[in-house]
DNA sequence: AATACAACTGACCGACCGGTCAGTCAGTAC
DNA sequence: GTACTGACTGACCGGTCGGTCAGTTGTATT
């Protein structure tokens, strides 16, 4: 019964025809309130009372719809991951030369994270903070899809000879995603570093990121200098 | 009085000569236990009872040495940041050609983070998680020093013409530090991605990172291809 | 020996936590 | 009408939280 309710709430079908009470959106309201609060402050720092107050329902009503605080958290996370997975599939361009594909992926990924900051923060929190196996699997799936997709783009670039063959695509994927995640996480901190001029301009950051990744940072005149191991 | 005690505990001088009781290391034991637990589970998830138990003292004794749980957390964070700042100053090589300097910085930074994972996790948690102004200033100082130091290395490279002049040094710094932070944070997750072969080998990750950053990932125009490690 | 004081403890406090429960209410089926 | 159901609530539960306090112990000073 619990799962039925939650899954019904996940798919945004107008179930008002099925359920009698007008308050069927209650589950959605709870999920929204819980999502916002969890993303803001994390699991432990948010009480069921606060969620109930924010959602405009009684605490007991939340327990009527969700078995426990953990179950609510998992439902919130599952919904967030489903949304992300959905958006993920129409991310970046699948055609065009490799540099454009890579730049588009990087730019769209960062823009998507910033546009859905709350959801992203929730997933990252679950993914990166140690312990807590509560919903790591969901987060890993979203992240893994993202990662695999980027690796594929890179492998295609290698196959077509546009990309150096002597590099590890997974490493580049980690680098690119890591740079984006880091920008997302540290934006508030970077903002008031004197050297940083791009904190308010993610599109510019993405452009510079793709540029550096593609061409490197060494001066082009002397390609002879190379890191010796 | 509170500050005096904490600051005395910060500098690891053998104050056994000054203080009477043999248990003067109590403060250190409390800080160590609290640091470990906070790094493992975060602020909210750790109770004073647990800290007291782990440190082998009574809970009331912790409140004798620290005004509040927040004050204890700040003290832990301050100590962690001081240690990091200290280590930071002997990080990387100050001489040699630019590629070596950059590679050394990246490699040492990551190695240091992994060697002091507990402290690093604590600082990153404070820095990157939203809200919580508890001790952000400490974390920002450590991070800012790190950042400024790397920017300086990059500016020097630009001044000597070894590095492209049309790039933003701060952006490169963010990219490099971000890539390291991300590796540190996501190591456990990356470990069981099929494409990833470097999760257990941070030194190799650092080498690849420096390589890619310096030369880019595009296939070179003239096929003066290098051998891959 | 008496004083003074920091280190330290066990018992305790009010507040709040996640969670339960008896019961109300609106709508549906017959 | 009556029986039934699920959404919903206020009051309440045991337990844990951060924090307090009276009192004990050990040591240095006088």
């Amino acid at each position: 019964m619990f799962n039925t309710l939650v899954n019904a709430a996940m798919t945004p079908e107008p179930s008002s025809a099925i359920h009698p009470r007008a308050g069927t959106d209650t589950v959605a309201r709870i999920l929204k309130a819980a999502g916002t609060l969890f993303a803001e402050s994390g699991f432990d720092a948010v009480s069921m009372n606060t969620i109930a107050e924010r959602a405009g329902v009684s605490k007991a009503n939340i327990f009527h719809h969700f078995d426990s605080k953990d179950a609510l958290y998992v439902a919130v996370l599952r919904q967030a991951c489903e949304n992300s997975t959905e958006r993920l599939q129409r991310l970046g361009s699948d055609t065009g030369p490799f540099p454009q594909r890579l730049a588009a992926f990087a730019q769209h990924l960062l823009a998507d994270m910033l546009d859905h900051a709350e959801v992203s923060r929730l997933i990252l929190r679950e993914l990166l903070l140690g312990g807590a196996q509560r919903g790591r699997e969901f987060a890993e799936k979203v992240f893994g899809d993202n990662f695999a997709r980027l690796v594929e783009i890179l492998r295609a670039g290698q196959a077509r000879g546009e990309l150096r063959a002597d590099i590890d695509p997974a490493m580049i994927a980690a680098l690119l995603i890591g740079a984006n995640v880091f920008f997302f996480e540290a934006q508030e901190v970077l903002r008031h570093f004197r050297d940083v001029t791009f904190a308010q301009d993610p599109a510019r950051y993405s452009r510079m990121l793709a540029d550096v990744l593609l061409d490197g940072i060494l001066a082009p005149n002397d390609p002879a200098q190379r890191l010796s191991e």
Side-chain angles (χ1 to χ4, degrees), chain A:
Chain A
M1 183 199 74
F2 156 71
N3 269 334
T4 309
L5 271 169
V6 172
N7 286 333
M10 227 86 73
T11 55
E13 58 183 352
S15 54
S16 56
I18 303 171
H19 291 74
R21 201 60 163 262
T24 310
D25 65 335
T26 301
V27 172
R29 289 218 315 281
I30 294 171
L31 285 173
K32 186 181 173 189
T36 303
L37 290 166
F38 283 145
E40 278 172 3
S41 315
F43 181 81
D44 293 303
V46 176
S47 76
M48 295 298 270
N49 277 313
T50 307
I51 296 172
E53 197 175 339
R54 178 77 70 98
V57 299
S58 68
K59 186 175 70 167
N61 194 14
I62 300 183
F63 282 100
H64 172 69
H65 290 290
F66 301 92
D67 283 353
S68 64
K69 188 185 181 185
D70 271 270
L72 171 60
Y73 183 75
V74 168
V76 166
L77 204 66
R78 189 198 300 262
Q79 182 185 251
C81 286
E82 282 182 6
N83 292 347
S84 289
T85 300
E86 192 181 337
R87 287 199 315 274
L88 193 69
Q89 287 167 356
R90 35 175 199 270
L91 187 147
S93 75
D94 284 341
T95 58
F98 173 76
Q100 276 76 3
R101 290 187 71 185
L102 188 84
F105 185 92
Q107 191 155 347
H108 291 168
L109 178 61
L110 183 54
D112 183 79
M113 287 179 71
L114 291 165
D115 279 346
H116 306 85
E118 187 177 301
V119 167
S120 300
R121 199 164 291 124
L122 206 53
I123 296 176
L124 284 177
R125 201 188 289 266
E126 187 63 25
L127 192 72
L128 303 179
L129 261 53
Q133 293 300 89
R134 257 188 302 260
R136 173 91 78 108
E137 39 184 331
F138 304 137
E140 278 185 4
K141 194 203 171 298
V142 175
F143 187 73
D145 283 357
N146 220 332
F147 195 86
R149 200 175 141 80
L150 181 51
V151 168
E152 200 172 336
I153 292 178
L154 291 160
R155 286 237 173 83
Q158 280 183 320
R160 280 195 275 172
E162 296 176 290
L163 177 58
R164 280 170 57 186
D166 64 328
I167 58 174
D168 181 352
M171 196 277 161
I172 308 302
L175 175 51
L176 194 149
I177 294 181
N180 274 341
V181 166
F182 181 73
F183 180 90
F184 174 76
E185 280 183 316
Q187 195 180 10
E188 294 302 317
V189 176
L190 290 172
R191 192 189 302 273
H192 53 276
F193 280 3
R194 201 164 287 111
D195 294 324
V196 175
T197 62
F198 50 82
Q200 320 261 23
D201 191 351
R204 185 159 147 260
Y205 178 83
S206 288
R207 250 182 286 123
M208 293 195 291
L209 171 58
D211 174 38
V212 166
L213 241 135
L214 289 167
D215 291 329
I217 62 176
L218 287 183
N221 310 16
D222 41 343
Q225 53 171 281
R226 170 78 186 255
L227 184 62
S228 61
E229 307 193 34

